[in-house]
């Protein structure tokens, strides 16, 4: 029993010392999400107005969140990609993302200011 307790303590210390976390029971290396955020920022900086939604998703992958609505008879879709860390809660909140906005499946802009104007 004592050996099992020591093993548990050693394992716990090793995990906390390496900067690893568990999200939804899965081991996630902190460098993984940092790298993903950097990759998303890099990819977003290379987007071009007028790109198709399909091309953006192909480049950036699945968004952390999304929404869709109509305004003046046009369909607007917003994909939210994680680009910064604010909370250590294992969840991605909207304030940790960059919105990427499409009108009728064509990229019209990205960033909070653009999102605020279309919402």
């Amino acid at each position: 029993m004592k050996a099992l307790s020591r093993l548990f303590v050693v394992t716990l210390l090793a995990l906390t010392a390496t900067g690893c976390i568990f999200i939804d029971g899965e081991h996630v290396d902190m460098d993984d999400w940092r790298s993903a955020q950097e990759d998303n920022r890099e990819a977003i900086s290379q987007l071009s107005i007028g790109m198709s939604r399909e091309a953006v998703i192909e480049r950036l992958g699945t968004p952390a969140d999304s929404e869709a609505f109509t305004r003046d008879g046009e369909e607007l879709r917003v994909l939210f990609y994680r680009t910064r860390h604010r909370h250590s809660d294992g969840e991605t909140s909207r304030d940790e993302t960059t919105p990427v906005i499409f009108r009728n499946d064509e990229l019209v802009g990205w960033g909070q200011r653009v999102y605020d104007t279309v919402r």
Side-chain angles (χ1 to χ4, degrees), residues 5-117:
S5 295
R6 284 183 188 157
L7 179 60
F8 176 75
V9 170
V10 169
T11 302
L12 184 61
L13 288 173
L15 287 174
T16 57
T18 61
C20 298
I21 58 173
F22 285 85
I23 298 175
D24 294 331
E26 288 186 41
H27 173 261
V28 177
D29 189 319
M30 287 178 66
D31 291 333
D32 289 347
W33 60 261
R34 284 186 180 132
S35 177
Q37 289 178 170
E38 289 172 20
D39 292 347
N40 286 344
R41 286 192 302 269
E42 171 80 20
I44 289 170
S45 73
Q46 296 176 14
L47 296 177
S48 299
I49 301 297
M51 289 178 73
S52 71
R53 183 167 51 101
E54 183 178 303
V56 171
I57 291 172
E58 188 174 302
R59 189 175 281 190
L60 284 162
T62 304
D65 196 5
S66 65
E67 67 179 52
F69 52 94
T70 58
R71 167 138 316 139
D72 299 325
E74 294 183 305
E75 178 185 87
L76 289 143
R77 289 188 181 258
V78 184
L79 307 180
F80 296 88
Y81 288 94
R82 185 173 179 138
T83 53
R84 63 190 148 283
H85 175 78
R86 295 210 190 274
H87 315 285
S88 294
D89 58 4
E91 300 289 326
T92 299
S93 56
R94 289 251 173 115
D95 65 338
E96 297 176 310
T97 65
T98 297
V100 179
I101 301 96
F102 300 86
R103 180 176 289 122
N104 297 323
D105 283 339
E106 185 175 294
L107 181 64
V108 295
W110 57 88
Q112 192 62 44
R113 285 190 201 146
V114 176
Y115 176 67
D116 290 343
T117 64

